[in-house]
Amino acid sequence: MKGEQLYVSAQKHYVGGGGAGGRYHPLLRRPLYLARGKGSRFWDVDGKEYIDFFTGSGANFLGHDHPAVAAAIRKALEIGVICNGETEFHSQLADLIADAVPCAEKIRLANSGTEATLGAIRIARGFAKKPKVLKFEGHFHGMHELIWYNCATAPGAVRSDGTIAPLPDTDGMPAVFGDLVVVVPFNDPDAFTRAVAAHGQDLAAVIVEPISYNQGCIPADPEFLRLVRDTCTRLGIVLIFDEVLSGFRMGRGGAQEYFGITPDLCTLAKALGGGVPIAAVCGKDEVMSVLNPTGPTVMSGTYTGHLTAVMGAIACQTEIAKPGFYERLNGLADRLYRGIGEALKATGVPGRVQGIGARFGIYFGVTDPVTNYREAVQTDREMEVKFILGCVRRGLYLHDYAHRAPMHHGFSAQHTERDIDEAVNIVEDALREL
Ligand SMILES: Cc1ncc(COP(=O)(O)O)c(C=O)c1O
């Protein structure tokens, strides 16, 4: 098997046999080594074909080798692989984002979701002149010291001030960073109110995944999100929606349009570029005005807004703005989630699917809605492991992250009804095996 051989040779210089730790599939016990991707599918180096329900962790929102994205990248190459330079295309992209995303009065580009949340937190601190950030348990905002806490850790006890002790999600983080993070259970208005009463005077920002796909798919209770919005407005705390995954996922305006609640700042990545490495911090004029070069809060970078990424993102944003794009996408979503729900029923496997737009989570061992991390970690991980392996073996690629809580899966705009039906059949077979 070429995949097995590659795993051996790749480990010579790559720890874990891959350029990024997250590509290791803990259930396959190695990364999947890919040969090529086209549309809704990819092929591994051994020639096995998969329906792709990973889609680059949500980045390949337009599937693989989308003709518009590929042509845009080719055009960038013709222009001359401009790095660290502005062009007319950068303005075009900003206009497209501002047209789609409610809070996007001003935009600063970045290369990844991690870099975008790092920038957004710095902007919030530069604006509010306060040190701390409130985040919710189970929410993931990238792999940096400012915020990578209590995303996949064991649920902690809720203390009298409504908070949970901050626990880093990686080794190598000096404890001093945790002193600047206030962790609160999600969708818990009482805990949130108590935490703000205790720490509000020190809070620069509240950061939230308004739809937390990093625990499958757990949307905010709209009343809870409204409480968070109103509290931040009242106390002058910057509200950041981390829309790295939810942005453009069910509509052009992302979760802020879905809920009709506008944050002060948001972060975008993944579906922003349809597979190219690009991200953004967007926000209201007043907050974004602290940014350099006109303000004192600095965020920049050599590769930021690389022309190949900007051109790819313009192509992606142009595609999603076409009439009927989201009607079709959300129609496929309904078909898929209905199909998985029926397969669960038909096979008698206890579980539920929760999905919004093109991403979803499957929770085993429960039938009631999963509304926060505490509930998500109580689902049946053993069943989930068997299910994922059953799907992968049958040619439906689901990634696994070895998290306590189920993670997100999803499809792209190039998936067809046929792909969805084929996937549902595979799901039903894999469930039957359970
Ligand atoms: C909500 C959210 N924020 C931030 C990130 C980090 O993005 P990246 O992997 O591009 O650094 C992710 C990645 O999955 C994410 O889902």
Side-chain angles (χ1 to χ4, degrees), residues 57 111-115 117 140-143 209 214 242-246 267 269-270 279 408:
S57 192
N111 297 290
S112 69
T114 292
E115 195 187 321
T117 61
F140 176 58
H141 304 295
M143 298 187 175
E209 277 190 272
N214 283 298
D242 183 354
E243 296 229 46
V244 164
L245 262 173
S246 60
T267 50
K270 304 208 186 216
H408 54 97

Side-chain angles (χ1 to χ4, degrees), residues 247-313:
F248 315 105
R249 197 64 62 183
M250 75 306 290
R252 271 184 87 208
Q256 51 197 280
E257 181 181 65
Y258 180 81
F259 286 108
I261 294 177
T262 307
D264 302 306
L265 296 177
C266 82
T267 50
L268 303 169
K270 304 208 186 216
L272 168 62
V276 296
I278 193 161
V281 182
C282 307
K284 294 186 178 160
D285 257 329
E286 192 193 1
V287 182
M288 294 290 278
S289 69
V290 302
L291 270 173
N292 68 319
T294 51
T297 308
V298 179
M299 181 183 173
S300 191
T302 305
Y303 297 107
T304 301
H306 194 283
L307 188 62
T308 48
V310 166
M311 297 297 269

Side-chain angles (χ1 to χ4, degrees), residues 108-172:
R108 173 84 21 121
L109 297 180
N111 297 290
S112 69
T114 292
E115 195 187 321
T117 61
L118 194 145
I121 290 169
R122 183 178 302 151
I123 293 166
R125 285 186 169 136
F127 177 77
K129 309 280 186 233
K130 306 262 174 74
K132 291 190 180 174
V133 177
L134 185 150
K135 75 160 307 254
F136 295 98
E137 189 183 38
H139 289 205
F140 176 58
H141 304 295
M143 298 187 175
H144 55 78
E145 276 70 3
L146 303 186
I147 205 69
W148 200 15
Y149 284 85
N150 302 69
C151 170
T153 52
V158 182
R159 303 179 287 200
S160 59
D161 66 353
T163 69
I164 298 161
L167 280 178
D169 279 289
T170 175
D171 209 350

Side-chain angles (χ1 to χ4, degrees), residues 179-202:
D179 296 342
L180 299 175
V181 181
V182 176
V183 185
V184 177
F186 189 43
N187 276 335
D188 185 336
D190 179 54
F192 176 72
T193 305
R194 277 186 286 142
V196 170
H199 302 277
Q201 71 280 5
D202 293 328

